[in-house]
Amino acid sequence: MLSGIKNLYVSEEVKDYPYTKEILDRLKLEPIILPTGEKPPKPLASWPEVLSWGKKTLFLTAYKGRFFRPCPGTKCYLCCGYQIFHIGQGCYLDCTYCILQAYFNEPWLTFFVNVLSDGLKQLEEGLASRPFTRIGTGEFTDSMILEPITRLNPRLVEFFARQNKGVLELKTKTIFIDDLEGLKHNRRTIIAWSLNAPSIVEREEKGAPSLTERLKAAQKVSAWGYPVAFHFDPVIRFPGWQEEYTRVITELFKFVPAENIVWISLGSLRFMPELKEIAYARFPHTSIFSDEFVIGLDGKRRYFRPLRVELYRHLYREIRKQAKDVCVYLCMESPEIWRESFGFTPLELGGLPHMLDEAAKKVCGF
């Protein structure tokens, strides 16, 4: 997959970092060195065209902000209390629905080379001052998208293996798992996959591995002793969605034992209004934005409430047929939707962060 990267920029302030040199040795592209503080020049083209260029462009730089910080949820819906470890942003997979197309004004892939020095230091200090914490690197990127050249995740796995107050979740659509084999992970790292119906994977997730490839990768890491998780987000309506999602759930539990699954999240298609125009310009074949949507409390377009409830009820029922005890939760939904879809709200169980903390502690062996 990384053969798709054609343009490489390196900030002068990190060009002599040993980690930068390690990455360059693997990528084998001649970098363009930019003065400290400068960013790659965008081509003079329409934003959809610039986005396509950005998928082939990597920028190695230093991050000056907070690597370790709360997930930018919304007060309008129930948030899970996740914490972010910010390793970079952007993704070269080309999913039709990807919110990053409208979220950032920087189209290229960015990786922060000072993550091993400044980043891990901030993370260690943050963990020392907090109670039990769930942390992820996949908020603004795919946690494994650059793994063949950065080899960051083994370092993170070994870091978290020494922790007793937190777990790391690596979220991905990729199958870049080979460097995780044989590590002493102490079950402190959860490997999580984004899943979808096969027809959605085929039509709307350009460049991503197939559903079966992802499930086989999950089966491997589960056999290596890692706890796993799955995210059905976005769940999308289309003719025959019930049958396809049912088959995915049935297959999931054939590959991974229920007792090794930390959680399964569900979230329906939602998007900023400007994403629709961008997506149609880049993916004229798509029809996923031509359904019945309403502006939600967070300003994003969402399926009408009855449609969301129908989606969630179906998936929840099918999951419960396979596993009665696996933690299932909704991403960015209201207590009312929880009640109508699942028959309860997180508040009855101590709140959503408490639900997920307890699920992690149980499956990860705290």
Side-chain angles (χ1 to χ4, degrees), residues 68-71 81-85 130 133-137:
F68 182 53
R69 61 181 192 263
C71 174
Y82 208 55
Q83 300 291 312
I84 295 170
F85 187 51
R130 291 182 55 84
T133 308
R134 288 167 285 107
I135 302 157
T137 60

Side-chain angles (χ1 to χ4, degrees), residues 34-51:
L34 297 175
T36 298
E38 287 194 13
K39 296 179 179 180
K42 300 174 191 172
L44 296 175
S46 68
W47 183 243
E49 292 174 306
V50 171
L51 285 171

Side-chain angles (χ1 to χ4, degrees), residues 306-320:
L307 301 182
R308 303 208 308 274
V309 170
E310 182 186 19
L311 288 168
Y312 296 146
R313 278 180 179 171
H314 181 81
L315 269 70
Y316 185 68
R317 182 171 59 248
E318 295 304 314
I319 291 169
R320 284 291 172 249

Side-chain angles (χ1 to χ4, degrees), residues 16-50:
D16 294 324
Y17 279 37
Y19 195 24
T20 301
K21 293 179 179 179
E22 179 184 324
I23 292 170
L24 295 182
D25 284 345
R26 294 196 186 101
L27 193 52
K28 300 187 186 307
L29 273 179
E30 188 64 32
I32 297 173
I33 307 299
L34 297 175
T36 298
E38 287 194 13
K39 296 179 179 180
K42 300 174 191 172
L44 296 175
S46 68
W47 183 243
E49 292 174 306
V50 171

Side-chain angles (χ1 to χ4, degrees), residues 13 39 50 54 85 115 179 192-193 232 234 239 312 323:
E13 65 182 319
K39 296 179 179 180
V50 171
F85 187 51
V115 65
D179 59 358
W193 271 270
F232 288 85
Y312 296 146

